[in-house]
Amino acid sequence: MNLWENVHLAISSLMANKMRALLTMLGIIIGIGSVIGILTVGDSLSGSISDDIQSLGARNVAVTIQARESDISRAPAFVQALRNGGNAAADKDLITTDMLANLKAAFPGSIEAVSLTETVGIGEVRDGQRYANLTLTGVNADFTVANELTILGGHFLTAEETESFKKVAVVSDKLVDNLFGKQNPLGQTIDVVIEGIADRYTIVGIYEYEESSLNPSMEADADINTSVYIPLNTALHRTGSAGYQSLTLVTTSNTDAVAFAPTVEAFFKFYYDKNPDYVVRAFSLESMADTINDVLGTITIAISLIAAISLLVGGIGVMNIMLVSITERTREIGTRKALGAPNSSIRIQFIVESMIICLIGGAIGIVLGLVLGSVGAYFLESPARASIGNISLAVGFSMAIGIFFGYYPANKAAKLDPIEALRYE
Amino acid sequence: MSSDNMIELAQVRKSYFIGHPNEFEVLHGIDLHIRRGEFIAIVGASGSGKSTLMNIIGVLDRPTSGSYSLDGVAIETLHDRELSRIRNHKIGFIFQNFNLIARSTAIHNVELPMLYAGLSRHERHERAKELMAMVEMTDRARHQPNELSGGQKQRVAIARAMANDPAILLADEPTGNLDTATERMVMDVFHRLHEEQGKTIVLITHSPDLAKETDRVVTLRDGQIIEDRKGVGHA
Ligand SMILES: Nc1ncnc2c1ncn2[C@@H]1O[C@H](COP(=O)(O)OP(=O)(O)OP(=O)(O)O)[C@@H](O)[C@H]1O
Ligand SMILES: [Mg+2]
């Protein structure tokens, strides 16, 4: 008796009891549906994080100085940044231009660009009723290599401008909306106030502000803080800083950024070994993304496992109905045996039937889960991703449940004594 | 033992509730030889053990003791799997209550033994059509059992019993649920299979008239053969 015959038989037996079959499947539908839904949301979240990292630059290595005594020495860079804000490093602790020149010389084939930034501070621009929050940051020409910016109007700071001490600025479209409305901002000036000191800059370019899953904004549109980019030297002149707390290296395309980060740390050891207060740490964005995705993946799997408990309940429901069905069909089983069906045929017949219940339930569950997952992803504002892996996993799992919970009833049917079965009233 | 014998039962006993205080023996040492191509009727009061004997002959059940050889093969030595094969290839069962598989069409029921024999879809279908024609049920091939009359069901059941061209047909009160006209029709099918195809047929019946039509009538009482005489035969 081949598989197709068994499938045919199973379907006709389910069709004879449509309502019962559907109710039996419900547990499987809900179980598979919720697991697929959760996995879809999880995937879409980690997917959009990966995309963000990719757009931030998977080849980037963030280099930052870090206070020595800290027991958070291995905490992610953003935690470090918060921490370093507290006790400002002295000039002797900063990464100098000399060190960077030596670094570039030491790894000529590995470093494509060194993006240097000097943050002047957080401030605002006010113009009557209108205002915009901003972070004033000086950047060098390599900034655009490390960061992807979409220029909407004007131009980004040229190499010549970043080397100069000009008071020019590239601002976000958000800031433009808040300050200028429909007016053309190019060529206009803004008075940036930081810690009570005002500075006037001329707008030469506008970039598109992008919110990412890594720095979601909770504020109202008008209050969002966006970066205003000015020439590095202009910023250094304003802060009087002799070096950099942090910078971003862009590795060449044939360099493994994850492996390069420790090499960079080792290089800086030479300068910082005798520094009692600070060391230099380097992190690749990719390894950071891996860490985040690992955590997210663990959470997703944990929630899925909880959802999978309903699959267990569903499986028990299937087993129950199979037992009922076999009791109802005792005579049929006896007849089949009298006609020469070996026990194995009977066993397979009922296992296939239970598998078909679970597979149909699983298929409906997958569709339901994808719909739920898409809705969830929509509310989390990350694009929904249907993974073939998850779907095949769900199909495999449904089949496994069918076999596992179908085996006992099927085996019971196979072992029925033919005489008893034929006598069954 | 002549190889002429299809069925040889020697001192066959069957007990129920073995080892329990209420153990009792239903068959008390049956000796019965049935020749190849013989049409034999088994009669006896209700509860005399006819069906029990029939189930043993059809290898659905094993004797508690005694020996049984079917077509020269000692049944005691065989495993369940081999008994299934024997039922499938050598034996055709016909029941009083038909035992057609519900929700399967008539022709599908006829195909069933061939399915277990591993025949291809095409072979099954062709053979099933022939068999349906033989019992004059061609026009009802696609009907489900609950759409057929008792006589029609029994004819489908006979076609199904014949599916793998078994040497032996075992019919346990096949006309018990039928009226006399239909009974006649079913009996005529048996006679035809006996005369034209040389089948060995064992028929259990409560009707002395039907029993007389066969070659030989065996009477059971309380699990023992009390009479074994020639039948009148078919006119
Ligand atoms: N599974 C069983 N367990 C216990 N006793 C049984 C079982 N099967 C049959 N018997 C007993 O065996 C005896 C013979 O039963 P059997 O069915 O062979 O009679 P029968 O001659 O076919 O009767 P009928 O003409 O009514 O069909 C009966 O007394 C019955 O109660
Ligand atoms: Mg009986």
Side-chain angles (χ1 to χ4, degrees):
Chain A
M1 184 124 150
N2 66 34
L3 189 67
W4 178 240
E5 299 292 343
N6 278 307
V7 170
H8 197 81
L9 208 64
I11 288 173
S12 68
S13 130
L14 294 181
M15 291 305 277
N17 265 313
K18 290 193 198 69
M19 193 62 191
R20 185 162 97 182
L22 190 72
L23 289 175
T24 309
M25 284 172 196
L26 213 53
I28 304 292
I29 293 174
I30 293 171
I32 293 282
S34 41
V35 171
I36 286 287
I38 291 160
L39 290 179
T40 303
V41 172
D43 278 0
S44 79
L45 272 184
S46 75
S48 57
I49 287 172
S50 294
D51 281 1
D52 286 340
I53 295 288
Q54 218 63 40
S55 73
L56 282 173
R59 293 198 273 133
N60 291 7
V61 174
V63 180
T64 178
I65 60 165
Q66 181 197 292
R68 243 181 216 286
E69 34 54 71
S70 69
D71 37 43
I72 53 165
S73 59
R74 278 288 157 187
F78 52 88
V79 179
Q80 310 284 341
L82 287 174
R83 173 106 193 181
N84 286 348
N87 54 329
D91 278 354
K92 68 164 177 64
D93 301 322
L94 298 176
I95 299 170
T96 63
T97 322
D98 278 354
M99 293 180 199
L100 291 173
N102 288 341
L103 177 70
K104 272 200 226 177
F107 306 103
S110 299
I111 300 172
E112 184 171 315
V114 180
S115 166
L116 296 169
T117 55
E118 174 68 10
T119 303
V120 179
I122 294 170
E124 62 165 10
V125 179
R126 206 164 261 287
D127 180 13
Q129 291 285 42
R130 297 167 180 272
Y131 69 95
N133 294 326
L134 58 84
T135 304
L136 192 64
T137 307
V139 299
N140 69 348
D142 279 352
F143 181 80
T144 48
V145 184
N147 300 274
E148 229 168 63
L149 284 185
T150 311
I151 298 300
L152 299 174
H155 64 270
F156 195 76
L157 303 171
T158 62
E160 193 193 319
E161 278 169 330
T162 56
E163 307 280 320
S164 75
F165 293 87
K166 279 184 185 158
K167 297 228 164 178
V168 289
V170 175
V171 300
S172 71
D173 52 348
K174 270 257 154 50
L175 180 137
V176 170
D177 282 350
N178 289 342
L179 283 182
F180 297 96
K182 298 246 174 298
Q183 245 182 306
N184 181 8
L186 290 174
Q188 305 265 22
T189 57
I190 46 174
D191 291 327
V192 177
V193 182
I194 292 171
E195 289 161 8
I197 303 166
D199 255 321
R200 178 164 293 185
Y201 295 91
T202 308
I203 298 174
V204 296
I206 304 157
Y207 70 91
E208 186 181 25
Y209 172 76
E210 277 180 68
E211 203 172 279
S212 80
S213 57
L214 287 177
N215 60 336
S217 167
M218 303 299 164
E219 296 122 307
D221 257 18
D223 292 326
I224 290 174
N225 182 315
T226 65
S227 290
V228 169
Y229 299 114
I230 59 172
L232 182 64
N233 279 339
T234 310
L236 287 172
H237 180 70
R238 163 93 195 249
T239 58
S241 176
Y244 308 96
Q245 293 210 353
S246 64
L247 55 100
T248 304
L249 298 177
V250 181
T251 56
T252 52
S253 56
N254 52 13
T255 304
D256 178 1
V258 178
F260 188 55
T263 315
V264 172
E265 272 189 21
F267 171 85
F268 278 102
K269 254 211 170 86
F270 173 76
Y271 298 99
Y272 283 81
D273 249 2
K274 293 189 188 68
N275 188 318
D277 306 319
Y278 280 87
V279 284
V280 168
R281 292 277 179 225
F283 310 89
S284 79
L285 275 177
E286 208 171 306
S287 63
M288 241 174 81
D290 288 351
T291 311
I292 294 173
N293 280 337
D294 278 359
V295 171
L296 201 63
T298 310
I299 294 171
T300 306
I301 288 171
I303 301 176
S304 306
L305 282 181
I306 294 168
I309 291 173
S310 68
L311 275 181
L312 186 74
V313 177
I316 293 169
V318 170
M319 179 145 109
N320 183 37
I321 282 300
M322 289 309 296
L323 285 171
V324 170
S325 165
I326 281 159
T327 307
E328 282 173 355
R329 287 153 74 185
T330 302
R331 240 171 196 292
E332 173 188 326
I333 295 163
T335 306
R336 286 178 185 275
K337 289 192 164 191
L339 296 178
N343 293 357
S344 58
S345 276
I346 304 285
R347 190 178 298 120
I348 288 168
Q349 178 189 339
F350 287 101
I351 287 179
V352 168
E353 186 164 326
S354 133
M355 260 169 68
I356 295 280
I357 294 178
C358 292
L359 275 179
I360 296 176
I364 300 174
I366 287 169
V367 173
L368 185 80
L370 290 178
V371 170
L372 287 179
S374 307
V375 170
Y378 173 80
F379 280 113
L380 291 170
E381 290 178 10
S382 63
R385 278 158 227 250
S387 121
I388 299 292
N390 289 346
I391 291 172
S392 357
L393 195 75
V395 171
F397 217 74
S398 314
M399 253 161 65
I401 290 171
I403 295 171
F404 185 81
F405 289 99
Y407 184 82
Y408 171 73
N411 200 42
K412 200 175 151 182
K415 285 189 172 156
L416 278 178
D417 176 36
I419 311 277
E420 301 284 330
L422 279 169
R423 281 169 163 268
Y424 186 81
E425 298 290 336
Chain B
M1 280 192 205
S2 94
S3 64
D4 232 21
N5 284 337
M6 192 67 174
I7 288 159
E8 293 181 355
L9 295 169
Q11 281 303 302
V12 164
R13 293 172 184 275
K14 180 72 190 178
S15 301
Y16 285 106
F17 306 117
I18 296 161
H20 289 257
N22 52 346
E23 167 174 347
F24 70 97
E25 202 172 75
V26 177
L27 297 178
H28 311 289
I30 302 282
D31 291 302
L32 179 66
H33 292 190
I34 300 174
R35 274 184 287 105
R36 203 177 294 277
E38 200 168 21
F39 189 174
I40 167 176
I42 297 177
V43 297
S46 187
S48 56
K50 305 183 295 295
S51 297
T52 305
L53 179 60
M54 170 80 79
N55 289 336
I56 287 171
I57 293 175
V59 300
L60 269 175
D61 208 354
R62 292 172 188 268
T64 309
S65 69
S67 69
Y68 173 24
S69 116
L70 186 154
D71 206 1
V73 178
I75 293 305
E76 304 86 72
T77 62
L78 300 182
H79 294 291
D80 282 356
R81 175 94 208 189
E82 291 156 327
L83 295 187
S84 299
R85 265 186 72 80
I86 289 180
R87 287 199 292 272
N88 190 229
H89 289 274
K90 289 214 167 145
I91 294 165
F93 279 100
I94 295 148
F95 305 94
Q96 177 174 0
N97 46 21
F98 324 120
N99 279 339
L100 295 182
I101 307 285
R103 299 190 309 272
S104 264
T105 58
I107 193 144
H108 240 96
N109 265 280
V110 176
E111 286 184 32
L112 205 53
M114 298 184 262
L115 201 64
Y116 292 124
L119 264 66
S120 79
R121 194 182 188 76
H122 180 75
E123 288 171 309
R124 285 190 326 246
H125 196 69
E126 289 305 306
R127 170 86 176 136
K129 279 202 297 198
E130 270 173 41
L131 290 163
M132 290 298 274
M134 179 193 83
V135 294
E136 291 163 33
M137 286 289 293
T138 305
D139 52 335
R140 298 294 158 92
R142 299 274 160 216
H143 286 233
Q144 304 238 330
N146 59 7
E147 297 162 352
L148 299 175
S149 75
Q152 289 168 337
K153 282 187 211 174
Q154 199 57 299
R155 280 188 280 159
V156 172
I158 293 171
R160 184 176 69 181
M162 290 291 296
N164 290 332
D165 197 21
I168 307 162
L169 284 181
L170 300 178
D172 193 345
E173 297 182 48
T175 61
N177 286 351
L178 305 177
D179 66 20
T180 37
T182 323
E183 178 180 272
R184 188 68 261 143
M185 197 163 62
V186 167
M187 283 304 289
D188 286 345
V189 174
F190 284 134
H191 285 300
R192 235 170 61 217
L193 292 173
H194 175 232
E195 285 155 18
E196 293 171 11
Q197 301 191 27
K199 300 289 175 205
T200 308
I201 302 177
V202 181
L203 169 75
I204 293 181
T205 180
H206 280 286
S207 153
D209 290 339
L210 291 187
K212 262 187 274 171
E213 289 180 24
T214 66
D215 301 338
R216 178 179 167 198
V217 181
V218 170
T219 310
L220 278 188
R221 186 195 287 160
D222 295 334
Q224 278 176 318
I225 297 178
I226 54 158
E227 194 178 57
D228 188 344
R229 62 183 164 78
K230 271 181 90 68
V232 178
H234 183 45

